[in-house]
C-alpha cells in the first residue's frame, strides 16, 4: 500500500474508510452511522456506537492476554523514583480510584479538574474519570492560580484532584497553594478536593473540603466501567485562544479512540507490545494523546517522565531512558532537542548509551528548524520526522505516515496531509494559492474522527473561531505553503498565539496583565524568535504621562505580575518602554509588523498605518536593546 493510495481512499470514501478503521477497537455496540450531523448541524462520528475509553486502554488488554505486560513506566529523576505498572496492576489501581470518585458522587457526564504533576496518580485519575464516563479536564501545572480559576469557572467541576506538589528540577512547587488561591478567585466551588500527598511536601488540608487521596483509597470499592456513547465527551482541554479567555476544546470518546489507534499504527509505525515515549506533559494535548490514551489503547508500554531533557541530571537523560526501556518511538518538541544540543553539541553523552531500539524520532509542538532536525538525524542515525497538529485536532494533521510508507524526508516541511485531512492553502479571500506561495492553512470539513466536535458550552465561539470565516473549511490559525510535490511547510501562527518551548500561549492573556499595571498607558505583547525556545514573549509598553519609572524597575514588576497571573511557563522576561506603538488609523495595534521587525524579516508598511515613521523608531529601539533575532531556517 502506498501513502498516496491510502490517503486518496480516505478522502474519496470517508465513510467506508473510517468504518474499517473503527473495526480496530472493541465496541460494546458498533455505530449505526459513521459520519453524521447532530441537531446543531455540527459534524459528528459514529452515531449510536457504545464503548468505554478506559476499557479500551486497560480491561481489553487484560482480557486479551496483555495483563502481564508493562503498561506504564514512571521515571522521575527529580525525586529519584522509578516504578512500573503492568496492564493488570494499572487496571486495579484505576478501578479502585474510580471507586473513590464514585464514592464522592462523580458519575457519567460530571466534570473533574485535574491539576497534578507528572506522577502515576495523574494517569490513574484520568483513566478513572474515563471509566465512569466523567469528563476530565487536566490543567498544566505551570499555570498560575488565575488561569486555573478561569478553567474551574468554565468547566464547573464536581471535584478537583491535585497533589501536594511538583518538582521543577530541584525546586518544589506548592500545588495546594495554587489551588487554594484559585478557589478563592473562582466563583464555582467544587464539592471536594482530593489531594495526593507527596513525600517531599505536605499540603495542609481544609476540613470538609479537602480529602487525603490515600486515605480515601483505603476504604474504596473498585468501580466498573460505564458504557458511553461515541459522541459523549471524554475530556475538555483548555488551550490558548486569541483572547485572554482559553478555549475549552472538547474530545469525544468514539472518534478519539479510533483516531488514536489509527495514528499509532499508521503514523507512528508502532506495534502493540512496543515501548512508545512522548516526552511531554499530561497537561498538554501531546500528553493526553500520546503519553496516555494512544499508546495504552494500542497495547504499547508508555513512559511518564518527571524530568527535563537537560539538568535532570544532564543532557544524556533522553538517551538513558531509550536504553533503559528500549524505546521504539520517541516524540518530543524541537525545543527539547535544541536544549540537549546546546549542552552537548557533539553528542558525547549519547555515546554512553545504546539507543539501537529507537526506530523513529517524531517532533511537533512548534516549527522545527532544519539545523535541529539534521543534528538529531545525524546523532541518532534514524528518520527524524517533523509533524504538525494542534490541541483542536488531537492527533496529527500533517506527517510522514511511516506505518504506511516512509516518504523521503524534506527538512523544513511537516510532511504531507494525514488520511482524512483535506488541506488547502488559501489567500485571505479563501481562493487556493498556487504551489510555493504562502497563505492560510485550511482543512476541509468534516474534520476526521478525533478532532474537536466543539468547544465546551460555547458553540457560537466554536463556529466563529473555526468555521465561519471560510465556509466548508476549518480555520487552523497557521500560515504555510505547499510545494510542487505536496510537502507542506508550516510557517507560523497568523494570530496572536505563540509557542514558547512547545507550550501554546496567548499574548492577549499576557497583554491583559501588563495593561493592568498602574504605570502602563498602553502595551503590546508579541512573540519573537528565540534560538532556544522557538519563540518568547516581549512586552512593549507606553507609560502614562507623569510616570517616572525606570525600565528595569517596570520590567521586574511586570515579569512578576505575569508569573503570578499567567504562570512561569509563559517565560515572560523582557519589557521595553517605547514612546508609541504602531497603529492603524482606526487604532488597531500592528503587532504583526512589530514581529517582522523583531525577527528581522522584510515587511511592507501597511497603507492603513496612522504614522509610518513609528516603524523606524521601533527598529532603532529593538536594535539598541538587543531585542529580536532572525528565525533559524
Ligand atoms: N509546574 C510548575 N512550573 C513549571 C512547570 C510545571 N509543571 N513546567 C514548567 N514550569 C516552570 C519552569 O520551572 C520555568 O520556571 P522558571 O522561569 O522559574 O525557571 C518556567 O515554567 C518555564 O519552563 P520550561 O518551558 O520548562 O523552561 P525551562 O527553561 O525550565 O526548560 C526546556 C527548557 C527546553 C528544557 C523545556 O522547555 C522542555 O523540556 N521543553 C520541551 C517541550 C515540551 O515538552 N513541550 C510540550 C509539547 S510537545
Ligand atoms: P498546540 O495546540 O499546543 O498543540 O499548538 C498548536 C500549534 O503549534 C499549531 O497551531 C502550530 O502553530 C504549532 N505547531 C505544532 N506543530 C508544529 C510543527 N510541526 N511545525 C510548525 N508549527 C507547529
Amino acid at each position: 500500500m502506498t501513502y498516496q493510495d491510502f490517503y486518496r481512499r480516505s478522502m474519496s470514501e470517508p465513510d467506508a474508510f473510517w468504518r474499517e478503521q473503527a473495526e480496530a477497537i472493541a465496541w460494546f455496540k458498533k455505530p449505526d452511522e459513521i459520519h453524521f450531523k447532530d441537531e446543531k448541524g455540527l459534524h459528528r462520528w459514529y452515531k449510536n456506537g457504545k464503548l468505554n475509553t478506559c476499557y479500551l486502554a486497560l480491561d481489553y488488554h487484560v482480557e486479551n492476554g496483555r495483563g502481564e505486560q508493562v503498561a506504564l513506566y514512571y521515571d522521575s529523576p527529580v525525586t529519584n523514583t522509578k516504578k512500573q505498572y503492568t496492564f493488570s496492576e494499572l487496571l486495579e489501581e484505576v478501578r479502585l480510584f474510580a471507586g473513590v470518585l464514585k464514592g464522592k458522587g462523580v458519575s457519567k457526564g460530571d466534570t473533574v479538574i485535574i491539576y497534578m504533576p507528572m506522577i502515576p496518580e495523574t494517569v490513574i485519575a484520568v483513566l478513572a474519570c474515563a471509566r465512569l464516563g466523567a469528563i476530565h479536564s487536566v490543567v498544566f501545572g505551570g499555570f498560575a492560580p488565575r488561569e486555573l480559576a478561569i478553567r474551574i469557572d468554565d468547566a464547573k467541576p464536581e471535584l478537583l484532584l491535585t497533589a501536594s506538589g511538583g518538582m521543577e528540577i530541584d525546586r518544589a512547587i506548592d500545588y495546594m497553594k495554587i489551588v487554594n488561591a484559585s478557589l478563592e478567585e473562582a466563583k464555582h466551588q467544587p464539592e471536594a478536593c482530593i489531594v495526593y500527598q507527596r513525600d517531599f511536601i505536605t499540603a495542609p488540608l481544609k476540613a470538609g473540603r479537602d480529602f487525603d487521596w490515600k486515605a480515601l483509597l483505603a476504604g474504596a470499592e473498585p468501580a466498573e466501567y460505564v458504557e458511553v456513547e461515541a459522541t459523549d465527551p471524554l475530556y475538555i482541554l483548555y488551550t490558548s485562544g486569541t483572547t485572554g479567555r482559553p478555549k475549552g476544546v472538547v474530545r469525544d470518546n468514539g472518534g478519539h479512540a479510533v483516531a488514536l489507534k489509527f495514528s499509532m499504527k499508521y503514523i507512528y509505525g508502532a506495534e502493540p507490545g512496543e515501548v512508545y515515549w512522548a516526552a511531554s506533559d499530561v497537561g498538554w494535548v501531546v500528553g493526553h494523546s500520546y503519553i496516555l490514551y494512544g499508546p495504552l489503547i494500542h497495547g504499547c508500554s508508555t513512559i511518564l517522565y518527571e524530568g527535563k531533557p537537560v539538568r535532570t541530571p544532564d543532557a544524556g537523560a533522553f538517551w538513558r531512558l531509550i536504553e533503559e526501556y528500549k524505546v521504539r518511538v520517541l516524540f518530543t518538541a524541537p525545543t527539547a532537542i535544541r536544549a540537549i544540543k546546546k549542552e552537548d553539541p557533539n553528542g558525547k553523552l549519547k555515546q554512553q548509551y545504546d539507543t539501537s531500539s529507537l526506530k523513529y524520532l517524531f517532533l511537533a509542538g512548534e516549527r522545527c528548524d532544519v539545523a535541529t532536525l539534521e543534528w538529531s538525524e545525524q546523532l541518532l542515525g534514524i528518520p527524524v520526522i517533523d509533524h504538525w497538529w494542534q490541541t483542536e485536532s488531537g492527533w496529527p494533521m500533517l506527517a510522514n505516515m511511516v506505518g504506511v510508507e516512509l516518504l523521503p524526508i524534506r527538512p523544513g516541511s511537516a510532511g504531507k496531509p494525514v488520511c482524512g485531512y483535506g488541506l488547502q492553502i488559501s489567500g485571505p479571500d479563501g481562493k487556493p494559492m498556487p504551489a510555493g506561495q504562502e497563505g492560510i492553512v485550511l482543512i476541509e470539513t468534516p474534520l476526521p474522527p478525533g478532532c474537536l466536535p466543539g468547544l465546551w458550552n460555547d458553540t457560537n465561539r466554536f463556529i466563529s473561531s473555526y468555521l465561519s470565516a471560510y465556509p466548508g473549511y476549518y480555520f487552523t490559525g497557521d500560515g504555510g505553503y505547499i510545494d510542487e510535490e505536496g510537502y507542506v511547510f508550516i510557517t507560523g501562527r497568523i494570530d496572536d498565539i505563540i509557542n514558547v518551548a512547545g507550550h501554546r500561549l496567548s499574548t492577549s492573556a499576557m497583554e491583559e496583565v501588563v495593561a493592568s499595571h498602574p504605570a502602563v498607558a498602553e502595551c503590546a505583547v508579541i512573540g519573537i524568535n528565540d534560538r532556544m525556545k522557538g519563540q518568547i514573549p516581549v512586552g512593549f509598553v507606553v507609560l502614562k504621562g507623569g510616570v517616572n519609572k525606570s525600565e528595569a524597575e517596570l520590567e521586574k514588576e511586570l515579569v512578576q505580575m505575569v508569573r503570578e497571573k499567567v504562570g512561569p511557563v509563559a517565560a515572560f522576561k523582557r519589557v521595553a518602554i517605547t514612546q508609541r506603538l504602531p497603529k492603524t488609523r482606526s487604532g488597531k495595534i500592528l503587532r504583526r509588523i512589530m514581529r517582522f521587525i523583531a525577527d528581522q524579516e522584510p515587511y511592507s508598511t501597511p497603507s492603513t498605518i496612522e504614522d509610518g515613521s513609528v516603524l523606524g523608531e521601533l527598529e532603532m529601539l529593538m536594535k539598541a536593546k538587543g531585542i529580536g533575532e532572525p528565525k533559524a531556517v
Side-chain angles (χ1 to χ4, degrees), residues 93 96-97 99-100 212-222:
E93 300 274 351
L96 208 56
F97 194 67
V100 168
D212 181 78
W213 189 296
K214 292 172 207 164
L216 291 180
L217 268 179
E221 288 289 321

Side-chain angles (χ1 to χ4, degrees), residues 361 372-385 409 411:
L361 168 62
T372 299
L373 187 106
E374 288 178 344
W375 184 82
S376 45
E377 224 167 29
Q378 272 163 21
L379 185 76
L380 294 165
I382 54 166
V384 178
I385 292 159
I409 290 167

Side-chain angles (χ1 to χ4, degrees), residues 80-404:
N80 238 323
T81 320
K82 287 181 195 174
K83 237 171 150 178
Q84 59 186 57
Y85 298 78
T86 63
F87 276 97
S88 296
E89 288 165 346
L90 192 57
L91 173 58
E92 285 321 302
E93 300 274 351
V94 169
R95 284 176 76 224
L96 208 56
F97 194 67
V100 168
L101 296 180
K102 209 170 156 184
K104 283 269 159 250
V106 172
S107 63
K108 186 168 159 179
D110 288 340
T111 51
V112 175
I113 288 230
I114 301 177
Y115 184 72
M116 292 183 67
M118 288 283 283
I119 54 176
E121 286 67 25
T122 309
V123 172
I124 290 164
V126 166
L127 290 168
C129 289
R131 191 164 190 82
L132 300 177
I135 305 159
H136 59 77
S137 187
V138 184
V139 179
F140 176 66
F143 280 123
R146 192 175 84 142
E147 291 291 323
L148 179 56
I150 293 171
R151 287 153 174 82
I152 291 171
D153 278 337
D154 198 69
K156 302 197 172 34
E158 285 293 307
L159 285 188
L160 190 150
L161 311 180
T162 192
S164 54
M167 186 64 84
E168 278 291 296
I169 306 184
D170 51 4
R171 180 166 53 104
I173 311 282
D174 186 342
Y175 272 45
M176 205 60 214
K177 199 167 143 200
I178 297 172
V179 167
N180 285 333
S182 74
L183 288 175
E184 261 167 41
E185 209 169 325
K187 287 192 198 76
H188 174 87
Q189 297 293 307
E191 289 292 312
C193 299
I194 303 182
V195 186
Y196 184 84
Q197 300 280 16
R198 302 192 72 186
D199 293 346
F200 58 86
I201 183 169
T202 304
L205 302 185
K206 211 168 156 181
R209 188 198 72 181
D210 301 339
F211 296 86
D212 181 78
W213 189 296
K214 292 172 207 164
L216 291 180
L217 268 179
E221 288 289 321
E224 294 320 322
Y225 53 80
V226 170
E227 215 171 79
V228 301
E229 295 283 331
T231 48
D232 281 340
L234 170 68
Y235 69 74
I236 309 164
L237 180 55
Y238 288 90
T239 190
S240 302
T242 47
T243 66
R245 198 162 60 89
K247 291 169 171 165
V249 168
V250 174
R251 192 85 53 215
D252 66 13
N253 277 274
H256 174 250
V258 174
L260 292 190
K261 176 86 181 143
F262 175 84
S263 67
M264 288 298 295
K265 179 173 162 81
Y266 293 113
I267 298 177
Y268 297 105
E271 291 295 331
E274 290 179 351
V275 181
Y276 181 103
W277 177 29
S280 176
D281 189 290
V282 178
W284 304 109
V285 70
V286 176
H288 281 62
S289 296
Y290 296 112
I291 294 176
L292 241 149
Y293 288 115
L296 294 179
I297 290 173
H298 198 48
C300 287
S301 308
T302 187
I303 302 177
L304 191 71
Y305 175 62
E306 193 182 23
K308 303 254 174 185
V310 293
R311 290 179 285 157
T312 56
D314 59 29
F318 275 24
W319 321 134
R320 170 183 70 79
L321 266 87
I322 292 169
E323 176 184 284
E324 201 164 325
Y325 303 108
K326 305 212 167 16
V327 175
R328 181 79 165 166
V329 179
L330 171 63
F331 176 167
T332 192
T335 305
I337 302 294
R338 285 195 294 267
I340 295 171
K341 182 178 162 198
K342 185 168 171 240
E343 304 263 311
D344 183 22
N346 301 316
K348 280 212 179 88
L349 289 165
K350 150 81 177 56
Q351 307 315 329
Q352 297 176 12
Y353 300 96
D354 173 8
T355 60
S356 59
S357 61
L358 195 69
K359 188 137 190 244
Y360 302 111
L361 168 62
F362 281 86
L363 299 174
E366 56 175 323
R367 203 179 134 265
C368 181
D369 54 289
V370 175
T372 299
L373 187 106
E374 288 178 344
W375 184 82
S376 45
E377 224 167 29
Q378 272 163 21
L379 185 76
L380 294 165
I382 54 166
V384 178
I385 292 159
D386 181 11
H387 65 323
W388 169 77
W389 51 297
Q390 307 177 315
T391 305
E392 288 85 343
S393 67
W395 65 293
M397 300 190 274
L398 284 174
N400 194 326
M401 298 184 67
V402 303
V404 184

Side-chain angles (χ1 to χ4, degrees), residues 33-51:
E33 267 181 73
I34 303 304
H35 168 258
F36 68 103
K37 280 193 175 176
D38 66 10
E39 64 287 355
K40 293 182 200 144
L42 301 174
H43 296 284
R44 304 304 304 264
W45 293 91
Y46 303 123
K47 192 174 189 173
N48 296 331
K50 295 197 195 319
L51 75 168

